[in-house]
């Protein structure tokens, strides 16, 4: 006999929140990735992640950035009203030029806070960005980060 929850929330929907959180986190990571300079070609050829500490530190940083990201987004959304929020790139002042001054301040504060969160979690911005870039092309790494995010969220 099927459980009642299975009738209202099919298996695919039960996993929707963790998946949407993961993609939201990747979006946050992408914003932080753009806040530093480009990786040199020699560095780009070496593997980005070679130990579980990097994966754990990365996942902890991304989780810690999610709440401030949502708060900043909500505050900017209130200031703009019904308008669409442009893509905000931390190291590209032009991406913030279309925002009202108060919204620009919120975005800059978020970018600075994100950088501190990354560093507080044992990664340099360069290392964090390198992992983020690697995530886009490495499904195994994506799975490891996703599993680490789930594990970290289950901890009391």
């Amino acid at each position: 006999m099927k459980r009642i929850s299975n009738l209202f929330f099919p298996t695919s929907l039960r996993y929707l929140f963790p998946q949407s959180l993961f993609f939201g986190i990747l979006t946050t990571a992408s914003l932080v990735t753009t806040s530093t300079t480009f990786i040199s070609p020699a560095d780009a050829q070496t593997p980005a992640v070679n130990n579980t500490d990097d994966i754990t530190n990365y996942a902890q940083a991304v989780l810690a950035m999610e709440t401030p990201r949502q708060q900043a987004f909500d505050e900017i959304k209130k200031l703009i009203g019904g308008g669409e929020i442009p893509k905000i790139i931390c190291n590209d002042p032009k991406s913030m030029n279309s925002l009202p001054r108060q919204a620009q301040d919120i975005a800059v504060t978020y970018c600075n806070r994100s950088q501190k969160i990354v560093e507080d979690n044992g990664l340099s911005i360069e290392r964090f960005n390198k992992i983020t870039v690697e995530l886009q092309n490495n499904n195994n790494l994506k799975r490891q980060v996703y599993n680490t995010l789930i594990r970290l969220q289950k901890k009391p």
Side-chain angles (χ1 to χ4, degrees):
M1 181 173 200
K2 286 189 174 185
R3 292 178 53 187
I4 292 175
S5 65
N6 289 345
L7 296 173
F8 295 104
F9 302 105
T11 305
S12 62
L13 289 179
R14 276 190 253 147
Y15 298 105
L16 186 61
F17 177 72
Q19 288 175 347
S20 62
L21 177 62
F22 179 68
F23 291 116
I25 288 170
L26 284 179
T27 302
T28 301
S30 295
L31 285 173
V32 173
T33 297
T34 59
S35 67
T36 61
T37 59
F38 294 103
I39 300 169
S40 68
D43 289 341
Q45 295 172 1
T46 60
V49 183
N50 54 14
N51 65 52
T52 56
D53 287 342
D54 281 347
I55 293 171
T56 301
N57 291 344
Y58 182 87
Q60 288 172 329
V62 167
L63 282 173
M65 284 187 284
E66 183 60 16
T67 299
R69 183 193 68 80
Q70 288 178 352
Q71 289 171 343
F73 181 82
D74 289 344
E75 289 177 37
I76 292 171
K77 193 174 180 179
K78 286 178 189 173
L79 289 172
I80 291 177
E84 187 175 325
I85 298 175
K87 184 175 181 178
I88 298 169
I89 302 170
C90 290
N91 72 333
D92 181 10
K94 292 177 185 175
S95 72
M96 297 184 203
N97 285 345
S98 63
L99 294 172
R101 183 72 185 144
Q102 195 174 5
Q104 289 177 15
D105 292 342
I106 293 167
V108 168
T109 300
Y110 166 75
C111 290
N112 292 335
R113 190 171 179 193
S114 294
Q115 183 173 348
K116 183 168 176 14
I117 288 170
V118 168
E119 292 167 350
D120 288 349
N121 280 282
L123 294 172
S124 67
I125 292 299
E126 292 78 18
R127 186 75 174 144
F128 182 88
N129 291 342
K130 197 170 187 181
I131 294 169
T132 301
V133 169
E134 180 73 18
L135 269 172
Q136 296 169 3
N137 302 314
N138 184 334
N139 287 330
N140 183 45
L141 179 59
K142 227 181 261 188
R143 181 185 47 76
Q144 289 175 335
V145 170
Y146 178 79
N147 289 337
T148 302
L149 288 167
I150 298 300
R151 179 178 49 81
L152 290 171
Q153 290 178 73
K154 288 183 179 179
K155 282 188 178 180

